[in-house]
Amino acid sequence: PKALAEKGLLAPVISQKTECAYIYSNYKENFQTLSCVDLARGVNTKLDEQVTEIIKIRNDDGAVIYSKAYETGKADYYFANAKTPNPQTVATAVNTKAIEEKGIASFDASDDFSRIAYIGGFDTATMKGALYTMSVINDYAGSEMRISDDAYSCDVSADGAVVRFATGYNPDFNTVNLVSYLNSTTLALSNGVAVGAFTFDKLGEYAIYAKDVNTENVVGSIESVNKKAKIKQIDDGVSAYGLKKDGTVLLLKRSTEGEVQKTTLYKTKVSGGKVKLIDEEVGKVLSY
């Protein structure tokens, strides 16, 4: 046995594709050192110090984005290549408290790290912040571009071509509007979308969401919108939905007959089409 790191607060992230692992060590005063270890040779390459946690690993496992918290609930994010460490700032003043407590996506990156998007200075009183985007070319971060002053959450497609975000939070109706940013152009996708009930696909082709939610019995209408802002009605009276990678949408419906509650599961496509029955008397959907 050979010790590769000591006193790490968080568990290491072991690569699924290469003989390496991202390992924490030297924990002290809420910070730790982040290293990339070649498991075959036992070589430890230090990436940075005073690190809080890993945010995302690149799809080839060869680079990492991590955070450095500098005050309660806020952090800056950095990028580093595993072989040639040269830490670069890719996001500043990210409200990590909003991410943890409210589940708001204030940061995202494409699978190959070519495009970064983040919300800086998110204010939980107004539920908005400034949305920035940045390109990373040959492992060097470019200049950030401010594309909105009113962003609620953000998403980057897998290839980095499309940035989509929610804006215009309405506290009276608990809704937002969905917008896309493609080729330096913003396009309104849909308005009046229920907060916490919208999902972006990984390819950047569709978003699916709930509208007109009845808070008493928690049902709403489900719609999808493509990147050209063409909206399609999926179904109504839906209690919950899930979007699979292949574009299949699962729909859960609840109804009451006397004192008996009936739960039924259906499926359809995010692009629209006939809704098909999967099963009745469903107790719980374990995974979408």
Side-chain angles (χ1 to χ4, degrees):
K2 180 180 180 181
L4 300 176
E6 296 180 342
K7 297 180 181 179
L9 176 67
L10 301 177
V13 179
I14 301 175
S15 172
Q16 301 295 313
K17 301 175 182 178
T18 61
E19 290 291 319
C20 78
Y22 292 97
I23 292 181
Y24 302 96
S25 63
N26 304 325
Y27 176 74
K28 184 179 180 181
E29 297 178 352
N30 296 320
F31 294 107
Q32 51 203 328
T33 299
L34 179 63
S35 303
C36 182
V37 175
D38 186 324
L39 297 175
R41 297 184 300 149
V43 178
N44 188 322
T45 303
K46 186 173 75 173
L47 301 181
D48 207 347
E49 298 178 336
Q50 305 239 316
V51 172
T52 304
E53 65 176 329
I54 292 171
I55 302 300
K56 188 171 183 176
I57 306 293
R58 198 167 65 187
N59 57 356
D60 63 357
D61 290 349
V64 60
I65 292 174
Y66 54 92
S67 68
K68 290 187 178 185
Y70 58 87
E71 63 178 83
T72 303
K74 289 187 179 180
D76 293 340
Y77 288 12
Y78 294 80
F79 162 88
N81 185 290
K83 294 183 178 180
T84 56
N86 178 27
Q88 300 169 73
T89 307
V90 293
T92 57
V94 176
N95 191 325
T96 55
K97 190 175 182 179
I99 294 174
E100 294 169 0
E101 294 183 358
K102 299 181 180 296
I104 296 173
S106 296
F107 176 89
D108 199 15
S110 60
D111 289 350
D112 61 0
F113 287 4
S114 62
R115 174 67 67 90
I116 305 289
Y118 76 95
I119 301 174
F122 185 86
D123 186 349
T124 52
T126 60
M127 301 296 282
K128 68 179 181 180
L131 178 61
Y132 299 87
T133 183
M134 173 192 298
S135 296
V136 178
I137 302 174
N138 295 326
D139 290 343
Y140 286 94
S143 300
E144 63 183 16
M145 181 181 297
R146 189 167 177 157
I147 62 175
S148 176
D149 293 324
D150 181 1
Y152 174 87
S153 71
C154 63
D155 173 89
V156 180
S157 62
D159 62 1
V162 187
V163 176
R164 293 165 295 187
F165 60 99
T167 183
Y169 172 72
N170 187 324
D172 296 327
F173 297 98
N174 203 30
T175 60
V176 291
N177 305 323
L178 302 185
V179 180
S180 72
Y181 178 78
L182 173 64
N183 297 327
S184 300
T185 302
T186 56
L187 176 66
L189 298 176
S190 186
N191 297 329
V193 173
V195 166
F198 56 90
T199 305
F200 299 111
D201 76 317
K202 290 293 292 180
L203 298 179
E205 296 290 333
Y206 290 95
I208 184 170
Y209 53 87
K211 292 189 71 172
D212 304 323
V213 175
N214 185 321
T215 56
E216 184 176 343
N217 52 12
V218 196
V219 296
S221 299
I222 306 299
E223 295 179 353
S224 68
V225 58
N226 66 13
K227 60 183 179 181
K228 295 182 179 180
K230 185 176 181 181
I231 296 173
K232 286 195 175 183
Q233 176 77 25
I234 300 294
D235 205 356
D236 54 18
V238 177
S239 302
Y241 75 87
L243 176 63
K244 298 180 67 176
K245 291 181 180 179
D246 63 358
T248 299
V249 178
L250 300 182
L251 305 167
L252 194 68
K253 292 187 175 185
R254 295 187 178 96
S255 60
T256 302
E257 297 179 1
E259 296 182 355
V260 178
Q261 186 178 71
K262 182 180 179 181
T263 305
T264 310
L265 187 64
Y266 299 86
K267 69 176 181 179
T268 184
K269 285 292 184 180
V270 69
S271 56
K274 186 177 180 181
V275 177
K276 299 179 180 180
L277 175 68
I278 294 179
D279 202 357
E280 297 178 313
E281 298 182 0
V282 175
K284 182 179 180 181
V285 179
L286 300 181
S287 176
Y288 287 113

